[in-house]
Amino acid sequence: MVHADAGRSLPVPNVQALAQTYNGGSSDEQIPERYIRVEEAAEEVIGGRDISSAIPIIDLNKLLDPLSSKEERAKLGSACKQWGFFQLINHGISDEVIHNFRNDMAEFFKQPLEAKKIYSQIPGNLEGYGQHFVVSENQKLDWADMFFLILRPTDSRDTRFWPSHPPSFRNSIDRYSSETAKLASCLLKFLAMDMGAEPESLLEIFRGQPQNTRMTYYPPCRQADKVVGLSPHTDATSLTLLLQANGVQGLQIRKDGKWVAVNSLDGAFIVNVGDILEILSNGRYKSVEHRAVVHPTKERMSAAVFHQPCQDYATVGPLPELVKKDGEALYGSVSYVDFIKGYFAAKLDGRSYLESLKS
Ligand code: OGA
Ligand code: NI
């Protein structure tokens, strides 16, 4: 599980409330300086509708069908090697489970600030409603609020942070969590096969399906071209399943040095390789830098579920059977506790933390 006390984010203003004031104010009013990031926001972006830049689409039905499995698995492997990202269709999670979860999440964020504040992060702790990765008083800030929960193993849930409104939210989170955890295990099994590792050796590391979620609310911003929704980063996990929750696009990934806008398919999951899986795979798969931008008039919501190694996974390093095959380990070994602490102690800065772990 992720160690909730590893997070040390400094308290900063609520962005949804700030956006309400600012978007409704007079047009010559400036947004606070700490959110203005003109240069970053202006970096070149390639449109996601261009087919040559669209991330691969993987079909879970085809992976499961013995007639097409081998071919689809090769596609899956190549997506993780070349893109670190893919969209998953026919994933088998019912529309109802997804619909209930996204509706309840939207209801939650829609509440007045006072109601959400009940679930505020406690200083020094990662869980709850607030922000992540704010490590200094003069760092630039992201145009988003987030709500982070530890989901699995189920006995690690801290129910203080589980909302009682909307009343169905706890149940819809629970169902969403169990379905996505199953899906992640299924994908990890196929990935182990693709890497040439024993599926059991990979699944053992993720025993109990440790999982947490970051639900993110990106308010609209009248000057959307001056702010960044979520700073460039990689995910400190094995696999992330991202649901773009209300049909507003905004995710961008770094490909060959340029930003590529991801055009998320309705009903699909955007899946990406995290740092832990890049390391376990001894560099076969890539944990790719990504960020989110915001819309000038529309709010955007997303929910990422992260799949973590189990609590007694002591040392982060490449799978021994792959090191043997490759003749060398491309990453040094670091204790999992130190890995997570290091990740949350730094401000988000692309792949720099992961690169520092290379041997
Ligand atoms: C994340 C993330 C992207 C998005 O939460 O780690 O990358 O589109 N989110 O919200
Ligand atoms: Ni991410």
Side-chain angles (χ1 to χ4, degrees), residues 218-230:
Y218 301 93
C221 180
R222 191 144 47 81
Q223 291 180 296
D225 55 350
K226 290 191 175 161
V227 302
V228 174
L230 181 59

Side-chain angles (χ1 to χ4, degrees), residues 23-40:
N23 288 331
S26 78
S27 58
D28 52 5
E29 198 183 327
Q30 273 290 341
I31 47 175
E33 187 60 34
R34 282 191 83 185
Y35 296 90
I36 297 184
R37 301 157 76 170
V38 180
E39 275 176 30
E40 269 184 80

Side-chain angles (χ1 to χ4, degrees), residues 239-266:
L239 278 182
T240 303
L241 266 52
L242 182 80
L243 180 70
Q244 189 162 269
N246 69 334
V248 180
Q249 309 284 355
L251 176 68
Q252 299 179 347
I253 70 174
R254 180 86 86 182
K255 171 87 171 140
D256 305 326
K258 298 220 172 75
W259 291 112
V260 174
V262 174
N263 196 13
S264 154
L265 302 171
D266 192 32

